[in-house]
Amino acid sequence: MNTIQSDNYAVYFDNALDELVNFIKKGKYTKFFILTDENTGEHCLPLLTNKLDGLAYDLIEVQSGEENKNIDFCVGVWKMLIDFGADRKSLMINLGGGVITDMGGFAASTYKRGIDFVQVPTTLLSQVDASVGGKTGIDIDGIKNIIGTFTMPKAVFIAHEFLQSLPPRQILSGLAEMLKHGLIVDAAYWTKLKSSDLKNPSVDLVHRSVEIKNEIVLEDPHEKGIRKALNFGHTIGHAVETYSLLHDEDSLSHGEAIAIGMICESYIAHKKAGLTLAELHEIVAVLSNLYPKYTINEDSFDELLLNMQKDKKNVGNEINCTLLTHIGRYSIDNVCTASELCDSLRYYINL
Amino acid sequence: MNTIQSDNYAVYFDNALDELVNFIKKGKYTKFFILTDENTGEHCLPLLTNKLDGLAYDLIEVQSGEENKNIDFCVGVWKMLIDFGADRKSLMINLGGGVITDMGGFAASTYKRGIDFVQVPTTLLSQVDASVGGKTGIDIDGIKNIIGTFTMPKAVFIAHEFLQSLPPRQILSGLAEMLKHGLIVDAAYWTKLKSSDLKNPSVDLVHRSVEIKNEIVLEDPHEKGIRKALNFGHTIGHAVETYSLLHDEDSLSHGEAIAIGMICESYIAHKKAGLTLAELHEIVAVLSNLYPKYTINEDSFDELLLNMQKDKKNVGNEINCTLLTHIGRYSIDNVCTASELCDSLRYYINL
Ligand SMILES: NC(=O)c1ccc[n+]([C@@H]2O[C@H](COP(=O)([O-])OP(=O)(O)OC[C@H]3O[C@@H](n4cnc5c(N)ncnc54)[C@H](O)[C@@H]3O)[C@@H](O)[C@H]2O)c1
Ligand SMILES: NC(=O)c1ccc[n+]([C@@H]2O[C@H](COP(=O)([O-])OP(=O)(O)OC[C@H]3O[C@@H](n4cnc5c(N)ncnc54)[C@H](O)[C@@H]3O)[C@@H](O)[C@H]2O)c1
Ligand SMILES: [Zn+2]
Ligand SMILES: [Zn+2]
């Protein structure tokens, strides 16, 4: 697997953990810190410490879960860095899923106005999505990533072996982003995905997804234009995710919510952006086959619309969607009306 | 007064408030927010709203004081932005002293991964120091600016009229930085300051200080090298300030603490960096004449040294000082031993 070159940093695939150890040894850091949650501490940390042969580090563990990607845990991380005496030449290693890489990236990018950090994504989602692009963030009052920075990591290490301990539902969560990558810019990749073993996505597929995401973010690091391609499924998907986080005991994963968003937004795309009925049906078939149906009530539409309005992607009161013009092609900044959005939710409900 | 050009933004002096109103009107912002504390809300906001002729804005007021430059108030600002529906095209106007410009700058630079903000410094200190350089920040557990970003404002507006309502002690606080500017790089400016009415520094003097600070930060935006010139007086001064904030009912202002730091560090400079005895005496005479004596006890030395070690400027366990080699010349990265630092504190105590 080629190393992928991003904006001043590399994304390593082959022998990723050895590369990480090399990176630590070569960098002239005074100290290094590993941020984990209890799951990555159990399943992923041993694979790494195995290779550290005795290099001393400090461990910062936070509780897993999106609901903990908040300012309180972030303050906890900052205080641990203070207590451990982290200085400006310290390195932070974020070992975990997107919650850890986002929050750890934010904590590092603001600690002493910014210390170096590297991302070691351990979920499929964080490998194919959160790993490149430089977005860091935390949630406030359940509003996702409302606070954050654009800060590039010094390197990213994608170790496929971490996926072995990942629950199937987490694999499915990352898969939604991979399918999205195909749908927006690479019809051949979409076709390849459809015929692959999607319960165990190969490292080639992961690599292709990172390549796609990387090409897009390199062209548009601050989300002024084409990066919005990546928002496909996310205007509605994020709103559903926020809703579920507030209301459900066992809330939707990011990918499960995005899968719903992709169905709804494909419906809108069919209505007004050129996506054919056959393409819509193909997308719905693949997604419905992979993802369980989620119950949405008409009574929740107002709250969902409000969530969309509060979304940081939107300016003023308009709600924008990235729509497919065909499989493998997209168009950004499509203003969608409340009635179009509600119709698409109804379409999903009635599937 | 010339407008000073900094890193992609301008610092306006002439008709600064009219320039601000122009800036607001020309910028295609969806909304704008004014951040104040109760004092700038009372004394400064009316001068601005007078000129807004009816332009609608939302006001965010926080409580004044360094002890409120913390994450709780910052979360409060973020939540107000959320509640007021601030989007990515919103503008934040930080109207206040360094507490407001630092915290407001941090809040804006991280809200939705960064919205535009402008600085309208209303204290002498914030005009001559906090206004340029792009440092934003908040304190945690009394550790100053431990969390923050480097983010440039879109513009800075320095209105001399704000200084009229400023208490004399606040004028003195800013003055310490102006004296520092002379001491590190401009002996002629130092001489001019000595013979000026320092209870009411003229706008020319303010302008010269901003020019000096700006030249230094432009050369070294991320504090890798010569920007450390500005740390003169701050290694010891910050430690004393932190100490005072924790222990004193009526704690030292930043400038009062820096004045102490400049005396101590000038003493060290005389001992090992070439500053002559005559120069040391001249510096001590000017500063002692302006600033009240602060009582420091030998018992506090350990805590003061610990504060210096925790300072984000330091790497590893070394304590670094910027020392004067002469009035108007400096040398950075001088490692100072605990005994040198304690000797200099004793020198101050025995003045
Ligand atoms: N920065 C970006 O560009 C970006 C992009 C997409 C998503 N995100 C963010 O990522 C987050 C979601 O990421 P996620 O799905 O990875 O969530 P997550 O970090 O919560 O991980 C999901 C669960 O898997 C566990 N886990 C992680 N690695 C494991 C492993 N190898 N074996 C066993 N268990 C493991 C975690 O402890 C957690 O319980 C969201 O907060 C989202 O906003 C960020
Ligand atoms: N970002 C930087 O580069 C930088 C540089 C230097 C200092 N700072 C920060 O600045 C802060 C200190 O700044 P400060 O001294 O301006 O403190 P401050 O903001 O606390 O202001 C001092 C007091 O004056 C009041 N005030 C402000 N303007 C007034 C006016 N025009 N009339 C009457 N009262 C007024 C305030 O309400 C406050 O009570 C510290 O937190 C320090 O870390 C930042
Ligand atoms: Zn996503
Ligand atoms: Zn200062």
Side-chain angles (χ1 to χ4, degrees), chain B residues 34-54:
Chain B
I34 304 180
L35 181 69
T36 62
D37 61 30
E38 72 281 5
N39 297 320
T40 62
E42 180 184 341
H43 298 293
C44 308
L45 187 60
L47 278 70
L48 174 57
T49 49
N50 249 344
K51 306 208 173 236
L52 283 177
D53 38 49

Side-chain angles (χ1 to χ4, degrees), chain B residues 125 129-130 144 173 176-177 180 213 230-234 238 241 254-255 258:
Chain B
L125 180 71
D129 192 351
K144 281 180 60 75
S173 185
E177 304 289 353
K180 180 191 76 179
K213 169 135 194 213
L230 298 168
N231 292 344
F232 169 56
H234 281 62
H238 259 168
E241 186 180 9
H254 180 67
I258 295 315

Side-chain angles (χ1 to χ4, degrees), chain A residues 13-87:
Chain A
F13 287 82
D14 287 339
N15 309 312
L17 295 183
D18 297 298
E19 295 286 356
L20 169 57
V21 175
N22 279 343
F23 179 95
I24 296 170
K25 287 184 176 163
K26 274 189 314 190
K28 296 206 176 63
Y29 294 105
T30 48
K31 282 168 186 270
F32 70 98
F33 298 87
I34 303 180
L35 180 69
T36 63
D37 62 30
E38 72 282 5
N39 298 319
T40 63
E42 180 184 343
H43 298 293
C44 307
L45 186 60
L47 277 70
L48 174 56
T49 48
N50 250 344
K51 306 207 173 237
L52 283 178
D53 38 48
L55 275 179
Y57 64 91
D58 286 307
L59 186 68
I60 304 181
E61 189 179 294
V62 296
Q63 221 170 297
S64 69
E66 182 72 32
E67 66 280 15
N68 299 317
K69 189 178 147 183
N70 61 28
I71 190 67
D72 295 332
F73 271 91
C74 187
V75 169
V77 174
W78 285 330
K79 289 191 177 180
M80 296 276 274
L81 288 171
I82 294 172
D83 289 346
F84 283 135
D87 62 34

Side-chain angles (χ1 to χ4, degrees), chain A residues 266 269-270 274-281 325-326:
Chain A
S266 294
H270 166 60
L275 192 74
T276 68
L277 188 62
E279 288 173 314
L280 172 63
H281 286 164
T325 54
H326 280 296

Side-chain angles (χ1 to χ4, degrees), chain B residues 37 39-40 43-44 64 66 69 97-99 102 122-123 125-126 129-130 135 144-145 162 165-167 170 213:
Chain B
D37 61 30
N39 297 320
T40 62
H43 298 293
C44 308
S64 69
E66 181 73 32
K69 189 177 148 184
V99 165
D102 274 15
T122 62
T123 62
L125 180 71
S126 57
D129 192 351
K135 286 187 178 179
K144 281 180 60 75
N145 303 319
F162 287 142
S165 56
L166 204 61
Q170 295 297 340
K213 169 135 194 213

Side-chain angles (χ1 to χ4, degrees), chain B residues 77-288:
Chain B
V77 173
W78 285 330
K79 289 192 177 179
M80 296 276 274
L81 289 171
I82 294 171
D83 289 347
F84 283 135
D87 62 33
R88 282 188 176 167
K89 295 263 162 72
S90 298
L91 173 69
M92 178 106 152
I93 298 172
N94 300 315
L95 179 69
V99 165
I100 292 295
T101 57
D102 274 15
M103 183 162 75
F106 180 67
S109 73
T110 52
Y111 181 74
K112 299 198 178 194
R113 299 203 183 91
I115 61 172
D116 283 2
F117 65 94
V118 295
Q119 305 293 42
V120 190
T122 62
T123 62
L124 183 59
L125 180 71
S126 57
Q127 292 189 348
V128 299
D129 192 351
S131 65
V132 293
K135 286 187 178 179
T136 77
I138 55 170
D139 311 336
I140 287 196
D141 290 345
I143 306 173
K144 281 180 60 75
N145 303 319
I146 184 78
I147 303 304
T149 61
F150 279 106
T151 314
M152 300 305 149
K154 291 298 160 192
V156 177
F157 303 90
I158 296 191
H160 200 246
E161 56 263 46
F162 287 142
L163 303 185
Q164 278 161 20
S165 56
L166 204 61
R169 218 180 137 190
Q170 295 297 340
I171 296 281
L172 272 179
S173 185
L175 195 59
E177 304 289 353
M178 298 171 75
L179 295 164
K180 180 191 76 179
H181 291 146
L183 286 172
I184 55 177
V185 294
D186 189 346
Y189 179 50
W190 162 257
T191 305
K192 191 169 174 195
L193 282 168
K194 280 194 301 173
S195 64
S196 300
D197 169 18
L198 294 181
K199 310 265 173 240
N200 275 308
S202 68
V203 64
D204 303 49
L205 294 173
V206 173
H207 188 271
R208 178 65 193 134
S209 260
V210 174
E211 237 172 28
I212 291 174
K213 169 135 194 213
N214 187 47
E215 278 161 23
I216 293 173
V217 299
L218 278 184
E219 261 193 70
D220 178 19
H222 285 88
E223 205 160 4
K224 305 280 181 205
I226 83 139
R227 185 167 182 163
K228 292 181 188 165
L230 298 168
N231 292 344
F232 169 56
H234 281 62
T235 300
I236 295 177
H238 259 168
V240 172
E241 186 180 9
T242 302
Y243 177 90
S244 173
L245 197 64
L246 283 178
H247 296 281
D248 301 335
E249 186 72 18
D250 178 25
S251 52
L252 288 176
S253 74
H254 180 67
E256 286 163 348
I258 295 315
I260 298 169
M262 289 196 286
I263 291 177
C264 294
E265 294 177 23
S266 294
Y267 176 81
I268 299 175
H270 167 60
K271 287 292 167 195
K272 64 180 217 177
L275 191 74
T276 67
L277 189 62
E279 288 173 316
L280 173 63
H281 286 164
E282 178 181 331
I283 294 168
V284 170
V286 171
L287 293 176
S288 302

